[in-house]
Amino acid sequence: MSPIEIRRLLDSVQAGVTTVEHAVSELSRASDRAIAELDYATLDLQRKDRCGFPEVIFAEGKTSEWLEGTLRRLIAAGQDCFATRVNASQSEHLARVFPQAEQDRLARTFWLPQSGIRPRPAGMVCVVTAGTSDLPVAQEALVTARVLGANAEIIVDVGVAGIHRVLRQRDRLKSADAVIVVAGMDGALPSVVGGLVDCPVIACPTSVGYGASFGGIAALLTMLNSCSAGVTVVNIDAGFKAGYAGALIVKRLEKARVLTTQT
């Protein structure tokens, strides 16, 4: 039950149209509808009402059958379906049972939206990679931002070893409402980008690199110690988290723009 529906119910009780007992019954049924219990998962069907987007499925470690069952239950509840970290075997299975879905094998994502008119994409999230090897994580961020309702574009392979490459992209970076910088190895690129733009920079370290990169820990620590004030950091290889946060930022900005225009 949405906040608007709850308010209508309470207004009805206040007006004497609905009894307290009936309201309690309605709220109880709404609570039951907020959860879907499967043998292998407990789904939060109210996530969209609270957070603006339905629960997202992390496919890693799940069987193809569990994924299928979870998706079918979300579809039955009228929810958009988005899954990340979908492996090749899971992808083949889901392609057979949901041929209408969109899959991005580089990003390892699965996207099956409900039919109907969707809001116009908001703002602009710019995803930047230090190297080509960072592309799988960057693509996950890009797809996630778009799925959540943001415009998003990508700039590839502009790491600090050739600093002139990122400087050539200053106009595109400055036009963004949020920038996601995906980098492994030394993880220095977010600090550079943070010194070029006046918007939030979301740094996403990757596990790309040689031995002393410690699977992305070196890049993570560099980013956490960034001297650029506008840089914040997500977990190693967490393209989904970076894309999600970027989309929330630009959608909130778009909402503020609309309110300003209306007043």
Side-chain angles (χ1 to χ4, degrees):
M1 184 175 285
S2 69
I4 293 176
E5 291 171 328
I6 293 173
R7 176 172 289 278
R8 286 173 181 165
L9 179 62
L10 295 179
D11 286 342
S12 181
V13 172
Q14 186 180 43
V17 176
T18 300
T19 65
V20 172
E21 291 75 15
H22 179 73
V24 169
S25 176
E26 286 294 307
L27 290 170
S28 178
R29 280 200 292 270
S31 177
D32 291 339
R33 291 195 298 270
I35 296 293
E37 293 192 38
L38 307 175
D39 292 340
Y40 41 82
T42 303
L43 304 181
D44 178 5
L45 301 180
Q46 244 180 10
R47 185 81 55 94
K48 184 176 182 179
D49 293 335
R50 300 192 314 274
C51 304
F53 194 80
E55 183 173 3
V56 178
I57 304 169
F58 182 71
E60 195 170 300
K62 296 178 174 66
T63 68
S64 296
E65 290 72 25
W66 290 350
L67 280 177
E68 179 186 346
T70 300
L71 290 165
R72 290 195 184 281
R73 185 62 185 86
L74 289 173
I75 291 168
Q79 305 267 348
D80 292 333
C81 299
F82 186 49
T84 65
R85 299 300 175 92
V86 178
N87 65 34
S89 176
Q90 293 167 335
S91 175
E92 290 176 7
H93 179 87
L94 295 178
R96 287 194 299 270
V97 294
F98 302 111
Q100 72 276 34
E102 300 174 23
Q103 294 203 51
D104 188 312
R105 292 310 305 139
L106 180 59
R108 295 180 291 170
T109 56
F110 171 98
W111 171 229
L112 182 56
Q114 292 297 298
S115 59
I117 299 174
R118 308 191 69 79
R120 186 178 63 182
M124 176 55 70
V125 176
C126 184
V127 181
V128 184
T129 81
T132 302
S133 297
D134 301 311
L135 262 174
V137 176
Q139 189 72 10
E140 184 181 52
L142 183 76
V143 171
T144 300
R146 288 173 174 169
V147 161
L148 261 78
N151 289 301
E153 63 178 14
I154 190 165
I155 298 172
V156 177
D157 195 23
V158 291
V160 297
I163 196 70
H164 57 292
R165 296 178 298 179
V166 71
L167 296 177
R168 290 177 62 245
Q169 302 292 342
R170 278 177 292 184
D171 289 342
R172 292 176 69 186
L173 293 171
K174 286 178 178 292
S175 67
D177 296 304
V179 178
I180 297 169
V181 183
V182 183
M185 299 214 175
D186 55 13
L189 185 60
S191 291
V192 174
V193 173
L196 297 174
V197 300
D198 62 354
C199 66
V201 174
I202 302 168
C204 181
T206 72
S207 51
V208 171
Y210 296 103
S213 68
F214 297 109
I217 293 176
L220 172 65
L221 294 176
T222 297
M223 294 173 184
L224 287 171
N225 286 282
S226 174
C227 190
S228 297
V231 175
T232 189
V233 189
V234 297
N235 206 348
I236 298 168
D237 292 334
F240 165 73
K241 292 295 184 67
Y244 199 108
L248 289 181
I249 289 169
V250 303
K251 289 172 70 178
R252 178 64 66 170
L253 286 171
E254 187 70 17
K255 185 181 292 186
R257 288 179 185 131
V258 170
L259 290 174
T260 301
T261 301
Q262 290 175 345
T263 55

XYZ file of all heavy atoms in Angstrom, residues 1-9 49-50:
95
model
N 0.852 -1.194 0.000
C 0.000 0.000 0.000
C 0.883 1.239 0.000
O 1.785 1.380 0.838
C -0.913 -0.010 1.233
C -1.912 1.137 1.272
S -3.062 1.018 2.665
C -4.156 -0.282 2.115
N 0.635 2.140 -0.945
C 1.453 3.339 -1.072
C 1.086 4.350 0.012
O 0.000 4.274 0.614
C 1.251 3.967 -2.448
O -0.058 4.513 -2.541
N 1.968 5.330 0.276
C 1.637 6.376 1.249
C 0.335 7.108 0.916
O -0.425 7.470 1.818
C 2.844 7.315 1.157
C 3.972 6.433 0.737
C 3.356 5.420 -0.193
N 0.060 7.319 -0.366
C -1.179 7.989 -0.771
C -2.390 7.141 -0.402
O -3.392 7.652 0.121
C -1.167 8.276 -2.285
C -0.089 9.309 -2.627
C -2.539 8.757 -2.759
C 0.062 9.570 -4.102
N -2.288 5.830 -0.641
C -3.395 4.928 -0.299
C -3.614 4.863 1.206
O -4.760 4.801 1.684
C -3.107 3.539 -0.869
C -3.168 3.476 -2.392
C -2.666 2.153 -2.940
O -1.758 1.553 -2.320
O -3.173 1.718 -3.989
N -2.529 4.858 1.971
C -2.647 4.841 3.433
C -3.332 6.109 3.928
O -4.213 6.072 4.792
C -1.260 4.673 4.090
C -0.687 3.292 3.780
C -1.345 4.888 5.599
C 0.741 3.103 4.240
N -2.930 7.242 3.366
C -3.553 8.513 3.771
C -5.042 8.526 3.452
O -5.859 8.990 4.268
C -2.843 9.684 3.086
C -3.478 11.041 3.377
C -2.645 12.179 2.857
N -1.429 12.342 3.636
C -1.381 12.988 4.793
N -2.494 13.523 5.310
N -0.253 13.113 5.446
N -5.414 8.019 2.282
C -6.835 7.963 1.922
C -7.605 7.095 2.909
O -8.722 7.440 3.319
C -6.991 7.402 0.512
C -6.599 8.380 -0.599
C -6.630 7.694 -1.939
N -6.246 8.598 -3.023
C -5.919 8.192 -4.248
N -5.937 6.890 -4.539
N -5.573 9.063 -5.172
N -7.004 5.971 3.295
C -7.662 5.079 4.243
C -7.833 5.760 5.596
O -8.919 5.712 6.207
C -6.846 3.786 4.390
C -7.386 2.741 5.370
C -8.765 2.254 4.923
C -6.420 1.561 5.472
N 7.932 1.475 -3.713
C 7.194 2.521 -3.013
C 8.105 3.320 -2.088
O 7.953 4.538 -1.941
C 6.048 1.917 -2.197
C 4.969 1.307 -3.073
O 4.843 1.740 -4.237
O 4.265 0.396 -2.610
N 9.065 2.628 -1.464
C 9.953 3.301 -0.515
C 11.146 3.962 -1.191
O 11.559 5.059 -0.806
C 10.481 2.303 0.526
C 9.432 1.619 1.362
C 10.074 0.895 2.550
N 11.246 0.117 2.161
C 11.204 -1.134 1.705
N 10.037 -1.743 1.569
N 12.318 -1.778 1.396
